Amino acid sequence: MNRFEHFREVRKDLAALLGGVVDALASPALLQQHADEQRKKLTCLINRHPFLDLCYLLDAEGRQIGDNVAASRRRTAGKEDGDGVDRSHRPYYRLALNALSPVLTEPYLSSANGHICVTAAAPIRDEKGRLLGMLVADSELDRALALLEEDDIRRGFEPYFKAIYTLFSSGLLAVSAALGFHAVVTLKQVWSAVAAPEDFAAPFQATILFTLALAVFDLSKTIFEEEVLLRKDIRRHSTTRRTLTRFIAAILIAVSIEGLMLVFKFALDAPQNLWLAVLLLVAAALLLVALGVYVYLGGQAEVLLSQHRDQRHDAG
């Protein structure tokens, strides 16, 4: 949802950017040119603006003139057709039908590539204001936002970052599996016939190993979900707050269980060291309180920032 919220915040600037691109080429002379010349002009347009995916012309009734002109990354079989297709039902045609300047649609799921896209359409009118046709251009929302914020370089490195996070997450998962295996092996001592009934070392050791395995697994899952599967918006504090909260929560669970195990162990074997387990539980409680304060203050800050953005949007 962050991308849609971000789109609403910068929609005016994005409409000016994409609208200016298509409006610069949209003219009655373009519609009067030969099909090959039209395609040449559209190809030049899309090559000069790498954030565009498709562009094409429509007549006044919304029927496409010529095939789609696609960016090089989209030039696959079956993606460059479209000549004669009726697009009068599309939102961008309805928006531009009575408009005097370029229009920008809301984000939508593209049927061409399955990505979230936006479409800019520039109406072409004669001197009397009669609609002659339209120049239409599609752009992936992420590419358009990245261009607007000059964030395309960082986004280019995202696949490499995701690969590194996947590698480290896999390593943590292997560590978790190893801890779980050793915990299972330790359980054999619990049911061993030679083990003394009053010997509690094996159950405590197995519990600690299982707890550590669970904590490491949860950390691995958190890293994989947050850094690989999810699309993060680093500009928003809520993204960092969610990741940090999940990480600290995993640590808290592990520390709390370890403290509880130490309470029982020291109560049975070394009561004089019981205060160490109590200190560990107190530290976990303080960490939980600190996390609660952080989450609350972060949420309040996000609300204030949202109100400020709304006020600025209304003022604009």
Side-chain angles (χ1 to χ4, degrees), residues 195-208:
E198 65 276 6
D199 186 9
F200 293 96
F204 280 115
Q205 186 178 4
T207 303
I208 291 173

Side-chain angles (χ1 to χ4, degrees), residues 243-254:
T243 302
L244 183 61
T245 300
R246 295 188 62 181
F247 175 78
I248 297 298
I251 300 300
L252 270 172
I253 293 173

Side-chain angles (χ1 to χ4, degrees), residues 113-265:
N113 61 3
H115 293 163
I116 302 298
C117 298
V118 291
T119 297
I124 301 174
R125 301 182 181 276
D126 60 13
E127 297 178 353
K128 297 181 179 180
R130 292 178 300 185
L131 182 66
L132 302 177
M134 297 179 189
L135 175 58
V136 182
D138 298 342
S139 173
E140 288 185 21
L141 180 60
D142 286 340
R143 290 182 180 274
L145 293 176
L147 176 73
L148 193 63
E149 300 177 349
E150 299 181 345
D151 195 33
D152 50 335
I153 297 178
R154 184 192 65 82
R155 288 178 181 269
F157 281 94
E158 277 191 350
Y160 305 102
F161 294 153
K162 289 181 182 293
I164 294 174
Y165 276 117
T166 300
L167 180 63
F168 280 99
S169 179
S170 301
L172 288 173
L173 186 62
V175 171
S176 175
L179 288 171
F181 174 76
H182 285 290
V184 173
V185 172
T186 305
L187 283 177
K188 293 182 178 179
Q189 303 178 19
V190 178
W191 308 105
S192 175
V194 298
E198 65 276 6
D199 186 9
F200 293 96
F204 280 115
Q205 186 178 4
T207 303
I208 291 173
L209 287 174
F210 275 125
T211 303
L212 289 176
L214 178 62
V216 174
F217 173 78
D218 195 44
L219 179 59
S220 172
K221 182 173 72 72
T222 298
I223 292 175
F224 189 73
E225 289 178 344
E226 295 287 340
E227 304 296 342
V228 179
L229 298 182
L230 295 180
R231 187 183 297 272
K232 300 182 66 175
D233 186 353
I234 63 174
R235 296 173 301 275
R236 293 185 178 274
H237 179 68
S238 57
T239 301
T240 304
R241 188 173 70 248
R242 182 184 66 233
T243 302
L244 183 61
T245 300
R246 295 188 62 181
F247 175 78
I248 297 298
I251 300 300
L252 270 172
I253 293 173
V255 171
S256 300
I257 296 178
E258 293 296 333
L260 185 60
M261 292 298 102
L262 287 177
V263 167
F264 291 123
K265 180 178 175 59

